[in-house]
Amino acid sequence: MILWTMLALVCSCAKSSSESHDFVTYVNPLYGTLSNSSFSTGNTYPATARPWGMHFWTPQTTQSLRDGWIYSYYKENLRMYGFRQTHQPSPWMGDYGQFSIMPFTGEAAGIPSSAFSHKSEESRPYCYSVYLADYDCLVELTPTSHAAAFRLTYPESNVSGFRVDADGEIQIDGKRIYGTSSLNRGGVSENFANYFIIESDTGFEAVGDNVFVFKTSKGQVVNLSVASSFVSFEQADLNLAEVAERDFDTIKEEGHNEWNELLGRVAVSDDRKVDEKKIFYTCLYRSLLFPRDLSEIDGSGRRIHYSPHDGKVHDGYLFSDTGFWDTFRSLFALIDWVYPETAMAIQEGLVNHYLESGFLPEWGSPGHRDCMIGNNSASVVAEAYLKGLRGYDIDTLWEALVKDAHSVEPVSNTSGRRGWEEYYRLGYVPSDIGVKESAATTMEYAYDDWCIWQLGKALGKDGLEEYEKASQNYRNIYRPEYSMVSGKLSDGSWNGELNPYKWGGDFTEGNAIQYTWSVFHDPDGLMELMGGKEAFEHNLDQIFDLPPFYDDSYYGFQIHEIKEMTVMNYGNYAHGNQPAQHIAYMYNYCDKPEKTQFRVSEIMRRFYTAGPDCYCGDEDNGQTSAWYVFSALGFYPVCPASCEYALAAPLFTEVNVSVPGHRALNINTKGDAATKKASINGHKLGTIIKHDDLLKGGELSFR
Ligand code: CA
């Protein structure tokens, strides 16, 4: 009898899970929008877009088009100022090419704005709608990759209309509005512009000062078709075909289906964990927004792109708006594995970045920008090829890696490698040559050199000794009396006393306690330096056991990344910033996988919430999200280009991963204790699973 009841329960769960294929309904773009400058909780805006779409749309709860997203949409600002086409990747990079549209009714004095409520707002990846109370107007928008459809439902009013906010001149031709936006924060050629067209299905009775007015009857719908291009008005006109004279609901359904197909490649069947599914699919959605695909299809059907580097139009793909310092860690592992068709296009885009500018981007937005450290494009390139992606010009990418390792991009002074001569000559980047955050830079260059070495071997290249040797350069800044890495001067002496709690200085948005673990490629070597497994384990324990002490003197104030560490009551572990995010997985390398399982499950539970304060720091273009996606599946790419993943334990009882061209992978788990052992198709695994095993598919079990 009991057995029958249990079976019935199992059957009903299986039935309901097989019916709940609408993965996109779990996504909430408002998660991570309770963000301000002292508490980021994601620093994300509700992006309504197609996956990797060229233009995103966001509601704007701030007056100025120039405000960054910390305040452009803030969950507690209940006044709406417009609906912005945005290309902003990060609060710190600023927006570019942005403009906005704001409907209104009544006398259009000044800048229109309206009260709204989250109760009368619907935010989905593929559509956004809100009721503007002051104007009795319902706004709905749904985007394609290069365009968007607006459906505006007005009340009876002699003066209805909308205002367009853009920095450039606006021209009118019948029901069409032509405008440009050249707003940017650098990293573009002088001729950069976003050319946009807004086509209304209702004629204008009056026009003035970017305000377009018509008369409406009760419930009258006005449709706007909006498209834009970084190439030209002619190209914007071609892009307009994605929405012009098409039914709003059809476009919306297409967007829904496109998202659902991509999200559904990782199909969670565990109906006990509804909040976790919401977090999971919101994280997966945020993993599929960046890098942005800047390519457009011209009149002859060719894929082209405007190059921010030389201001010309070239063939093929170009992706931008990602900082590899953040995203090399796990975002590209996710795309390379589950979305290989996009991964190959991204690699082709990297080829084009190099051909058009002479460098691979480190922080592209859309051109080379001065932000963060490292030469982690090497990881992104090596990982994709070593994981079997083909169909792009790897020889040119190899040339780019070698060149970038031995030069620095002159305009941004960031792409390539700052301090490369001293780095190769001395074996580290010294603290006294004007290269910021030198110890962190050394750590990342050493890993980057390991990536170049691995790729070079796979390509049969000669002259790899330099990279093999340099991959060990982390040892040169290891300071035994602290068991940590430290800043070092050109003369070989240490850069003063090491304060392990000090953020910044020789480190990047982190401290020595955290950055010492950035030896992704050689944990055994780090263990040897520390004195063996027990010392390695002890030092890991310390991170979580220490009080959340910090020294913020480098910044002169408590940066939000520090605050987000202190408030979590989780020691000196700073999950809110990227350098720490692999650390819990390092226990695997000292044969303590149970500690990895325990910590990873705690971090998933404590640092992510199903709500507007979802994240514990900046989400950062998919990286903090991809960490959750992998961790929920039970493994993580500690060393992305190694094609291996460190195991933990899955969050959900069952997940099916479908990668095009490969047999599906069923990941399942039973039991709650942090002592699980994994097997793939019946073969026992240690603490690692190989990428090939994921691709072969079958059954990955945790018991
Ligand atoms: Ca960050």
Side-chain angles (χ1 to χ4, degrees), residues 99-110:
F99 64 93
S100 72
I101 298 170
M102 179 65 185
F104 62 86
T105 54
E107 289 308 313

Side-chain angles (χ1 to χ4, degrees), residues 199-452:
E199 185 172 77
S200 170
D201 68 353
T202 304
F204 310 128
E205 296 195 355
V207 171
D209 201 18
N210 291 6
V211 168
F212 306 88
V213 174
F214 34 73
K215 228 180 252 176
T216 50
S217 57
K218 185 175 179 343
Q220 183 177 337
V221 170
V222 173
N223 289 291
L224 304 181
S225 299
V226 187
S228 65
S229 165
F230 291 116
V231 173
S232 64
F233 280 120
E234 293 70 31
Q235 183 62 44
D237 195 18
L238 291 168
N239 295 345
L240 197 64
E242 293 178 9
V243 294
E245 290 164 39
R246 298 192 61 215
D247 176 53
F248 183 93
D249 291 320
T250 305
I251 300 164
K252 183 173 155 183
E253 181 69 15
E254 277 175 10
H256 170 274
N257 293 345
E258 185 174 345
W259 274 109
N260 223 26
E261 191 274 315
L262 295 183
L263 296 171
R265 289 190 194 179
V266 190
V268 173
S269 330
D270 187 342
D271 289 342
R272 296 172 312 155
K273 294 186 171 168
V274 174
D275 276 358
E276 290 87 343
K277 275 174 90 168
K278 290 178 182 173
I279 298 168
F280 180 85
Y281 281 109
T282 299
C283 284
L284 189 52
Y285 144 79
R286 292 221 171 265
S287 302
L288 307 183
L289 289 170
F290 300 103
R292 180 189 315 288
D293 180 357
L294 289 174
S295 70
E296 311 179 50
I297 305 297
D298 78 2
S300 60
R302 276 187 323 159
R303 187 174 295 279
I304 56 168
H305 63 268
Y306 167 83
S307 172
H309 305 299
D310 63 10
K312 294 176 184 160
V313 176
H314 298 270
D315 283 353
Y317 281 104
L318 199 79
F319 285 75
S320 197
D321 297 331
T322 188
F324 288 152
W325 181 82
D326 297 289
T327 54
F328 86 86
R329 297 163 200 272
S330 69
L331 176 67
F332 290 94
L334 183 63
I335 298 174
D336 289 351
W337 172 33
V338 185
Y339 307 96
E341 66 280 31
T342 301
M344 287 187 280
I346 289 170
Q347 295 296 317
E348 182 190 321
L350 287 175
V351 173
N352 290 330
H353 273 293
Y354 176 69
L355 293 175
E356 291 157 26
S357 74
F359 286 86
L360 298 173
E362 295 301 329
W363 225 126
S365 178
H368 298 289
R369 301 282 296 274
D370 177 13
C371 193
M372 310 315 287
I373 61 149
N375 179 213
N376 300 307
S377 55
S379 178
V380 176
V381 168
E383 179 184 21
Y385 188 84
L386 294 168
K387 286 182 173 173
L389 294 173
R390 296 293 184 272
Y392 53 91
D393 183 359
I394 190 65
D395 292 329
T396 295
L397 288 177
W398 173 257
E399 180 189 313
L401 294 192
V402 171
K403 182 190 171 186
D404 283 16
H406 298 88
S407 52
V408 57
E409 201 274 327
V411 179
S412 68
N413 194 30
T414 294
S415 299
R417 290 195 192 188
R418 280 181 285 223
W420 65 273
E421 287 168 292
E422 292 87 347
Y423 168 78
Y424 282 120
R425 183 159 47 83
L426 300 171
Y428 59 95
V429 178
S431 306
D432 53 352
I433 59 165
V435 175
K436 66 176 182 180
E437 300 159 359
S438 59
T441 301
T442 297
M443 298 302 279
E444 292 182 19
Y445 286 175
Y447 166 64
D448 301 332
D449 280 324
W450 184 84
C451 293
I452 298 174

Side-chain angles (χ1 to χ4, degrees), residues 325-326 509 561 576-578 618 620:
W325 181 82
D326 297 289
E509 292 179 0
E561 286 88 348
N577 209 17
Q578 284 65 34
D618 290 349
D620 279 333

